[in-house]
Amino acid sequence: MSPRLIGRLAAFVCAHTAAYVLFVVSWIVLGHAAFTGTVGTGELLGWAGLLAAAVPFHLMATRFQASVAIEGGRALRRRLLGGALELEPEEVRGEGVGRLLGRVLEAEAVEDLALGGGMLGLVAVVELALAGAALAAGPGPVPAFALAAWVCGTLALAWRYLLARRNWARARLALTDDVVEKMLGHRTRLAQQPPDGWHAGETEALHRYETLGRAMDRRLAVLVAMSPRGWLATGALGLWLSATGGATPAALAAGAGGVLLATGALRTLVTGLAQLADASAAWHSVRPLVRAAARRGDEPVTPPDPVDGAPLLTADGVEFGYPGRNVLAGAALRITAGERVLMDGRSGSGKSTVVSLLAGLRAPTGGVLRLHGRTRAETGSTHWRRRIVAVPQFHENHIVQGPLAFNLLMGRGWPATQADLDAAAEVCRRLGLGQLVERMPSGLGQLVGETGWQLSHGERSLVCLARALLQRPDLMILDETFAPLDPATRCRARDAVTDLTPTILVTHHR
């Protein structure tokens, strides 16, 4: 949390406290005059003056509350976006489309509910403290301790609701994931899955979701209804006992005011706790994004200097696999600057897995990879991926919706300078994309992607190859990149790559 946000939050608490104190004091003045029979023009003016003095503080509290909500929401969105960008590709592959959609929806819930519930919680703490002071100044310390015990009971009820809310949220996300996956794979299910298995398990999942929802609603109803109303009955009973014990009218009046203040504060507290419980349940879905955002702070700002005499890239005993399945074991590799390496193998032999490990797209489960003598932890994932660039197979050559220049220069930096645009135009010319750029009405600024200028498989491969060349890596890895190209274009692209990149690793399907 930034110091600026903390300062505004403290200012909000102070402004609300001042406004609430003036409000309470105004009614104390009026109540004292009423009990002593001295209600006159002066007392009424004093009461009105205290209420009027509270107005500026109310305005200040409202302003700081809006400022905290905007600033906090912006900080949270930045962190979640940073975490989404820091997710490892393997982490994204392990998530279904429905679960990723659920994380997006829960992120918005965290922002709205956490900020709203947090502000209400702070307001309730201030109001409960003043109500406790009023009770202690009136009937005595016993009602104040009773209020503290009642607040603890309210927190216990809120905790039970939180647990129920988390279970319900998990069931809801599972249903969302299942529905989205079935929608996306509907054609495959029609072709490969027997009709009697299309809806297997759906009834049980819906019944479990309904059961968890009812349990959550019951606990919320108990929390909302019992806490403020139960306290009002308890406080009234305490006042009656104080009256039978000989308490003075002034003490009873102060106690009645404390009970009423505490009732309103408990309503605010219950609303805030319910929102915080909802935000906490949603937080479990977006927590991986927050953890991923923390990785950026662990990486070095600048890459370390290369180890003298170390080869460009080494792999010692590298392993990779999934639970119950080992894909790679004991792999060793050594590449020095200026070498041209060919990795040949049959389909499914693990070439693409090795490429993803070397390029930093996957983390090995064993062994050590070193770039210029430094491990990935020492170099940092960002710097590693900038120095080793892999151009994947054509079906993984993704084009982002945007200008062609952005697709070419996204690995080099954006916004682009004139020197970057000139370099992009030159690389396109060397790869044979010059005529394509000339046909585009906006040149390098032409919109490409799903709703823009449509590119063929070969053109997409050349754009991704140009993107890698413009990044000026230390090692270029070509994973069957030339497969969709015709022979003439393939020779031209090969010559451009060998001229512009000193060190190359090429995979070939045997």
Side-chain angles (χ1 to χ4, degrees):
M1 187 179 294
S2 65
R4 180 181 179 183
L5 183 59
I6 294 176
R8 293 184 178 182
L9 195 60
F12 162 75
V13 174
C14 293
H16 180 77
T17 303
Y20 203 74
V21 167
L22 289 173
F23 171 76
V24 172
V25 170
S26 69
W27 286 102
I28 290 176
V29 170
L30 186 62
H32 181 269
F35 275 102
T36 58
T38 58
V39 178
T41 304
E43 287 73 12
L44 292 176
L45 289 177
W47 171 67
L50 289 171
L51 290 179
V55 172
F57 292 102
H58 276 299
L59 295 176
M60 291 173 59
T62 302
R63 177 183 177 184
F64 284 121
Q65 181 179 5
S67 178
V68 168
I70 294 173
E71 191 74 20
R74 181 169 59 182
L76 179 60
R77 286 177 180 268
R78 283 181 176 178
R79 190 164 185 83
L80 293 178
L81 177 59
L85 296 176
E86 288 296 321
L87 284 176
E88 296 290 340
E90 200 63 30
E91 294 175 312
V92 178
R93 289 190 184 97
E95 297 281 352
V97 176
R99 192 163 295 275
L100 291 174
L101 175 62
R103 292 197 192 283
V104 174
L105 299 177
E106 294 298 310
E108 185 176 357
V110 167
E111 178 185 352
D112 296 338
L113 297 173
L115 292 175
M119 302 297 283
L120 289 175
L122 289 175
V123 168
V125 168
V126 172
E127 295 177 356
L128 285 171
L130 293 175
L135 289 173
V142 176
F145 285 122
L147 175 61
W150 197 268
V151 171
C152 292
T154 300
L155 294 177
L157 292 176
W159 177 255
R160 294 185 63 223
Y161 169 69
L162 170 62
L163 297 179
R165 181 67 170 77
R166 287 179 179 175
N167 293 332
W168 175 81
R170 293 192 190 100
R172 180 171 60 83
L173 289 176
L175 283 177
T176 302
D177 188 23
D178 183 62
V179 169
V180 174
E181 293 291 344
K182 287 180 177 179
M183 290 172 60
L184 293 177
H186 181 63
R187 293 182 179 178
T188 304
R189 295 175 64 223
L190 291 177
Q192 299 182 4
Q193 189 177 18
D196 55 358
W198 288 352
H199 304 288
E202 291 181 357
T203 302
E204 293 79 5
L206 287 173
H207 177 69
R208 181 173 180 273
Y209 174 74
E210 181 185 7
T211 303
L212 293 174
R214 288 181 176 178
M216 179 188 67
D217 291 340
R218 284 196 301 268
R219 295 186 179 184
L220 179 60
V222 171
L223 175 64
V224 172
M226 183 174 179
S227 179
R229 296 177 183 176
W231 164 252
L232 185 60
T234 303
L237 178 62
L239 291 177
W240 178 76
L241 294 176
S242 299
T244 57
T248 63
L252 291 176
V259 170
L260 293 176
L261 291 175
T263 302
L266 285 172
R267 289 196 184 97
T268 304
L269 179 63
V270 165
T271 303
L273 289 176
Q275 292 187 4
L276 288 175
D278 295 345
S280 177
W283 179 259
H284 279 264
S285 297
V286 302
R287 187 166 51 184
L289 300 180
V290 179
R291 290 178 177 175
R295 300 173 189 166
R296 184 181 295 272
D298 299 334
E299 292 195 354
V301 179
T302 57
D305 296 330
V307 177
D308 293 337
L312 190 153
L313 180 66
T314 58
D316 298 320
V318 173
E319 299 178 357
F320 181 79
Y322 303 98
R325 178 191 172 203
N326 194 21
V327 178
L328 196 66
L333 182 67
R334 177 188 175 94
I335 300 177
T336 59
E339 285 188 332
R340 310 292 169 84
V341 181
L342 174 64
M343 183 167 57
D344 189 24
R346 296 186 302 273
S347 178
S349 59
K351 301 187 299 299
S352 296
T353 301
V354 173
V355 168
S356 62
L357 291 171
L358 298 181
L361 301 178
R362 285 189 172 113
T365 55
V368 180
L369 285 170
R370 288 187 176 88
L371 175 64
H372 296 300
R374 304 287 186 181
T375 63
R376 182 175 170 181
E378 296 172 327
T379 304
S381 298
T382 302
H383 301 299
W384 185 288
R385 292 169 184 164
R386 286 176 179 171
R387 304 324 313 157
I388 301 180
V389 177
V391 185
Q393 301 177 18
F394 73 93
H395 58 274
E396 294 184 0
N397 287 334
H398 302 295
I399 299 297
V400 179
Q401 181 77 18
L404 176 61
F406 176 74
N407 279 274
L408 293 169
L409 295 167
M410 64 169 58
R412 183 162 173 163
W414 195 263
T417 63
Q418 187 58 46
D420 293 331
L421 295 175
D422 293 341
E426 175 62 20
V427 170
C428 288
R429 186 189 63 80
R430 296 286 300 271
L431 292 175
L433 289 172
Q435 294 182 355
L436 172 66
V437 176
E438 291 176 358
R439 292 200 312 269
M440 292 180 173
S442 301
L444 291 177
Q446 180 67 43
L447 184 69
V448 296
E450 294 297 330
T451 60
W453 188 285
Q454 298 298 304
L455 301 175
S456 65
H457 285 306
E459 291 169 342
R460 292 165 67 96
S461 297
L462 290 177
V463 168
C464 293
L465 181 58
R467 178 192 302 166
L469 290 172
L470 287 166
Q471 195 167 328
R472 295 172 295 189
D474 295 340
L475 173 63
M476 171 86 76
I477 303 178
L478 305 178
D479 188 12
E480 300 182 24
T481 305
F482 300 141
L485 305 179
D486 59 81
T489 305
R490 185 182 308 164
C491 292
R492 187 168 186 170
R494 180 199 60 198
D495 295 339
V497 170
T498 54
D499 291 342
L500 298 175
T501 307
T503 311
I504 306 172
L505 171 64
V506 180
T507 67
H508 179 259
H509 173 62
R510 184 182 303 172

